[in-house]
Amino acid sequence: MVKRVVDMKTHCQPSDDLEYWLSKTPQERLAAVTFLVNQMLKPGERMDKTVFIRRKLKE
């Protein structure tokens, strides 16, 4: 078990999260997202891909 003590008032969680995920390969990131999505779906249920928002990219 790995234990790390940090001061919650000064600790910057988002930057640590970003560094962690950038250190992973694209395949590992995709596997993590797939795992999280599958946890939310019921057995046999598929994602509803009919609802989406189209955003215009800034130029």
Side-chain angles (χ1 to χ4, degrees), residues 2 12-13 17 20 23 25 27 29 31-32 34 36 39 42 45 58:
V2 177
C12 185
Q13 182 72 32
D17 289 346
Y20 173 79
S23 71
T25 66
Q27 291 82 7
R29 292 183 219 161
T34 303
L36 292 172
Q39 283 187 319
K42 297 174 185 152
E45 184 180 16
K58 294 181 181 179

Side-chain angles (χ1 to χ4, degrees), residues 21-38:
W21 286 111
L22 289 177
S23 71
K24 299 296 178 186
T25 66
Q27 291 82 7
E28 289 173 317
R29 292 183 219 161
L30 184 59
V33 169
T34 303
F35 174 76
L36 292 172
V37 168
N38 285 334

